[in-house]
Amino acid sequence: MRPLRLAAALLLFASPGIAQTTLRIGIGADPNVLDPAQSGSFVERVVFSALCDKLVDVAPDLSFRPELATAWEWSEDGRALTLTLREGARFHDGSAVDAAAVKANLDRYRTARESRRRSELRPVSEVQVLDARTVRLVLSEPFAPLLSVLSDRAGMMLAPSVLPMAERIGENPVCSGPFRLTRRIAQDRIEMEKFAGHWNARNIHVDRLTFLPIPDNTVRLLNLRGGQLDLIERLAPNDIPTVERDRRLRLVAGASIAYQTLQFNLGNGPAGSRPIGADPRVREAFELSIDRAIINQVALEGRFTPNNQPEAPGTTYHFPDLAPPARNPTRARQLLRDAGHDRVAVTIRVTNSPVESQVAQIIQAMAAEGGFDVKLEVTEASAAVAAVERGDFEGFIGIWSGRPDPDGNISFWLASDGFLNRGKYVNPQVDALFNQARAVTAVPERQRLYREATRLWLADRPMLILYHHRWFWAMRADLQGFEPAPDGIIRLAGLRFAR
């Protein structure tokens, strides 16, 4: 466990003026790469919220609101989106956020070898500069999720001066957010300072910002209670009573569109040829071995929502008739015998978060009764993601922070070209249904298409969605202006310490 940062605390308590203008946020992992084109983890989105403005943002009600673009308009045929850019917005190097800069960024995201955004922006056939503050995205076909895509990493704008760095941009990202990067020490801290030239600088009330990666949930809370942190994300459910009893702290809870999933390797290198990846009967047996409700009650204090789909129960694109099967270890063992196995060994990668590790241990114990010998490989988050990316996994437990459009909650994982399809799942029928759903905006038709796609991939089981999160943040009682968001991202505007 990481020790308390006592020296830092003594310095801050000795200098109250500094403490009032420096916000220290404890995050659950160290970001892998600070380049929106190459990014693939939730914690990077938390850091990018301070560093890199997007073309559009997502409001707490999941509607879209202006950020670098102040207005947008669709063409009548749905094949072009015209954006009006914010007047006076600037990058951290002082250059203007204009249409030429937006085109340069979008063209990189669409075409660069290192970009994971290519599949997200594939329907964009051309980016046109109409004038200094107007840019038009021309589409090869109607694409309903485009605004959702532009509200995430594909909409984050970098200064054109750093784009030639390509794969090395993450070493020194120059963005347009309310804070600019001053120093990063891997596995220790990310330091930023307020960008005085930001268009919303008057609503940024701290001068410095430090992100401190602390994977252990309990240690993050100890640092908050000890005065070494001001705000922590992803408070563990079993730590909630501690925060509620501490008058120096405040708990903020919020609805979430995030889910936890167990992804299998079906074809990414040699590991994809092992029984769990090669045979859907084995994956069905694995699902029959586990009980999502038990996971929620034991590891999550009953505070999350067991679920097998990317959309939360009760929402527009959740399908109650496609519920998960009841736990049946006897049936699971029979399926394994039918597939030619007595028992099946499976290695599951999991990050070194205590909550995720406990979830994995519960799965390990339940799966044993269904005929599986599960080995857990617990590693630091960046190392785990790197291993999964290169195909060195059979199963991986990870989080998806959620998107406002249903396409972003499933196609990134399961479309054959999805940037998170690390297990190389391929189902042409599912791909076709995703493509059809992107091209329409009528909700009943999209529901029909997503339901059929869900029916197909649930039968294939390239991943098992386990539960939907509920967000919990803890912070100093005198930190004001925090606005919870369903995507779990911390927005810095309006945050201030009471005086």
Side-chain angles (χ1 to χ4, degrees), residues 7 11 78 179 205 253 313 359 433 438:
L11 175 62
F179 291 86
H205 305 293
V359 167
L433 289 162
R438 295 181 188 120

Side-chain angles (χ1 to χ4, degrees), residues 23 41 43 50 67 82 140 153 155 162 164 166 271 358 396 441 496:
L23 178 64
S41 74
V43 73
E67 197 155 289
T82 301
S140 58
R153 286 161 284 206
V162 301
Q358 187 178 7
F396 172 62
T441 56
R496 67 173 77 209

Side-chain angles (χ1 to χ4, degrees), residues 25-235:
I25 301 177
I27 54 179
D30 191 45
N32 185 33
V33 57
L34 294 181
D35 174 11
Q38 301 178 72
S39 169
S41 74
F42 167 68
V43 73
E44 288 157 3
R45 297 183 72 217
V46 175
V47 174
F48 283 140
S49 181
L51 186 64
C52 299
D53 276 355
K54 307 177 294 292
L55 290 171
V56 295
D57 193 18
V58 178
D61 64 358
L62 298 181
S63 64
F64 299 110
R65 63 185 179 187
E67 197 155 289
L68 289 176
T70 56
W72 46 87
E73 183 178 3
W74 285 99
S75 63
E76 289 187 9
D77 64 1
R79 292 177 180 267
L81 178 67
T82 301
L83 302 170
T84 302
L85 302 180
R86 184 177 296 278
E87 187 172 5
R90 298 204 165 269
F91 293 106
H92 297 157
D93 64 1
S95 60
V97 180
D98 58 16
V102 171
K103 173 178 170 56
N105 275 272
L106 292 176
D107 284 347
R108 178 192 178 225
Y109 291 144
R110 292 192 306 119
T111 63
R113 178 172 59 87
E114 72 272 11
S115 175
R116 295 184 176 181
R117 314 281 79 87
R118 286 179 293 176
S119 62
E120 300 169 40
L121 292 170
R122 179 161 290 122
V124 179
S125 58
E126 184 183 4
V127 181
Q128 300 175 343
V129 175
L130 303 187
D131 59 44
R133 291 184 52 222
T134 311
V135 62
R136 176 183 293 151
L137 281 65
V138 180
L139 307 178
S140 58
E141 58 188 1
F143 185 53
L146 183 56
L147 279 174
S148 178
V149 168
L150 297 178
S151 71
D152 189 24
R153 286 161 284 206
M156 296 179 184
M157 297 293 106
L158 291 149
S161 62
V162 301
L163 297 185
M165 294 180 65
E167 293 94 337
R168 298 178 56 223
I169 282 177
E171 299 172 11
N172 183 33
V174 179
C175 284
S176 57
F179 291 86
R180 71 175 188 88
L181 183 68
T182 57
R183 183 172 68 147
R184 180 182 184 184
I185 303 174
Q187 304 298 327
D188 183 71
R189 64 186 57 222
I190 298 170
E191 296 177 342
M192 303 182 190
E193 66 180 8
K194 180 179 177 179
F195 175 46
H198 189 256
W199 58 271
N200 198 27
R202 66 184 179 279
N203 202 25
I204 301 297
H205 305 293
V206 295
D207 297 318
R208 285 170 292 278
L209 177 65
T210 302
F211 288 101
L212 296 141
I214 305 174
D216 191 304
N217 310 79
T218 301
V219 176
R220 278 205 305 281
L221 178 56
L222 285 172
N223 276 270
L224 177 65
R225 299 186 73 196
Q228 292 82 43
L229 294 172
D230 306 305
L231 167 64
I232 62 174
E233 54 130 9
R234 283 185 279 179
L235 181 72

Side-chain angles (χ1 to χ4, degrees), residues 18 38 43 48 110 164 179 187 225 228 248 326 333 368 377 382 410 414 422 482:
I18 295 176
Q38 301 178 72
V43 73
F48 283 140
R110 292 192 306 119
F179 291 86
Q187 304 298 327
R225 299 186 73 196
Q228 292 82 43
R248 301 168 302 166
R333 292 192 298 271
E377 289 194 5
S382 296
I410 192 61
L414 298 185
R422 299 153 172 151
F482 183 87

Side-chain angles (χ1 to χ4, degrees), residues 367-422:
E369 297 179 19
F372 292 90
D373 298 315
V374 176
K375 175 184 176 183
L376 302 179
E377 289 194 5
V378 181
T379 56
E380 185 273 330
S382 296
V385 170
V388 172
E389 291 286 350
R390 63 176 180 263
D392 184 13
F393 78 108
E394 290 181 79
F396 172 62
I397 295 176
I399 184 176
W400 181 242
S401 55
R403 299 294 184 272
D405 187 273
D407 181 74
N409 286 328
I410 192 61
S411 70
F412 297 162
W413 289 89
L414 298 185
S416 57
D417 61 352
F419 80 95
L420 290 173
N421 186 359
R422 299 153 172 151

Side-chain angles (χ1 to χ4, degrees), residues 262-266 271-272 274-277 282 286 343-351 360 363-364 367 371-379 384 387-388 391-397:
L262 169 56
Q263 184 177 36
F264 295 117
N265 185 350
L266 276 61
R274 294 169 189 162
I276 196 76
V282 176
F286 197 96
R343 297 188 66 83
V344 170
V346 182
T347 298
I348 296 178
R349 286 193 175 272
V350 61
T351 67
I363 291 173
Q364 180 184 46
F372 292 90
D373 298 315
V374 176
K375 175 184 176 183
L376 302 179
E377 289 194 5
V378 181
T379 56
V388 172
D392 184 13
F393 78 108
E394 290 181 79
F396 172 62
I397 295 176

